[in-house]
Amino acid sequence: MAQAIEGPASGSTGMTAPVSAPAPVSRVSGKTWSILLLLSLGVLIAYVDRTSISSALAEKPFVDHFGLTDLDRGWVNAAFFWSYGLVQVPMGWLVDRYGVKTPYTVCFALWCVATALTGAIHSLFALILMRVIVGAAEAAVIPASYRWIRDNFTEGQSGTAVGIFTAGNKLGPAIGAPLAAWLIVAYDWRVMFFVTGAAGLLWLAPWLLMVKNDLPKAEERAEIRRKASAVTFSAILASPLVWGTLIVSFCYGYFTFYCMTWMPAYLVEERGLSLQQSGLYTFFSFAGIAIVAVLAGWVADRMIARGMDAVVVRKSFVIAGFVGACTVLLGAYAESLQAALFWNVFSLSFLGLTTANNLALCRLTLIPKPAVGLVTGVQQVATSLSGGVAASLSGWLLHVGGSYYLPMLVIVVFCAIGALTTLVLLQPRWAPKIAA
């Protein structure tokens, strides 16, 4: 037997049926907000480490050192995402049963060390291996963070909480691109990898001091495993809603990861900017999506607090963000540099309407609490797959087409698919069921 999750009831027409008046929003302590900011800083560091490679791949001495072709550059970018995706589900399973602090601590240290060691390697094989290690270790970030957010924030706070958290993974590329470019220009790519990797280890000090140890005691683990198993993996895979979230995650991730992996090269090779200038405009794009994500999550929370249906509100923001992101193609058609840069920044910033509300909807609102880590891990497989596909497919399209028009056209196709999937499949009646 199974029972539906608690939440919005399904309806026969429209996006979803209306729900009852929202429950009062409980106050969140200052320490909880501080830990949320720390989690946001942690994911920022992760994205700095994962995107530093993009600036290096736009630097001729780095490319010449490893003898990279355009296809090789695509595979180097993609290596991170393949291992990242492979380990997502095990990481989600792990944090649902063994807590957040210990797995996150070990993985954080591992990826920082691997990033730093990238500055000391000489072969293409070693470069790809380091990216694989960084990807596998960073697989802990998202499942662990959403597990913690789900345990500490209510529905009426989740949009703001997720917006603040996701600001980290947008500010990571925003800060990482110009920082990496500056370190490469001022020193070289070896110093860049060492500094970005080693500096991240400083984050562990406040994390170890502020966050309580949530590793369950031996006598508690059986009950935790029972609760975590209330939503089976087969029930998750049988849910049309989960498959809808996978498609939406892929479509959203395709655009953002394209920007992380190929935007610096596009601005240098297609628009004639210097490496430092490309880092600056990459900063504008990712800072824009971060700011819009926080504001959109906060506005949606206020609308929900006033009695509006949470699913309808968040779906409306998600669809609007996908539609606005399609303006990226106008940048490809633009003849002037100013117009191209404007649409480059505008399209990714507009996608911020989707960011927090999509994540709050797909990983918190519609998902049973016992399975947040596992479902997030499953969704992250699609997200990481989108990164691998965006990196390698864009490299291949650039190779065969000779310009960035085709890579940007594919972005528009996926944004349209994401908007349509959000409208049709993200309905509470299709959510995973809790075993009685």
Side-chain angles (χ1 to χ4, degrees), residues 109-167:
L110 178 59
W111 90 62
C112 287
V113 170
T115 299
L117 289 177
T118 304
I121 59 179
H122 301 283
S123 69
L124 177 59
F125 173 79
L127 177 61
I128 292 177
L129 178 61
M130 288 299 104
R131 300 310 296 168
V132 167
I133 293 173
V134 172
E138 285 194 15
V141 176
I142 302 300
S145 298
Y146 280 94
R147 173 78 268 168
W148 189 90
I149 291 171
R150 185 66 171 84
D151 288 340
N152 291 277
F153 292 91
T154 66
E155 173 59 44
Q157 302 159 336
S158 61
T160 304
V162 171
I164 292 172
F165 171 71
T166 56

Side-chain angles (χ1 to χ4, degrees), residues 295-309:
L295 291 176
W298 181 84
V299 170
D301 281 353
R302 301 287 71 74
M303 295 169 68
I304 294 167
R306 293 179 180 179
M308 297 185 67
D309 182 280

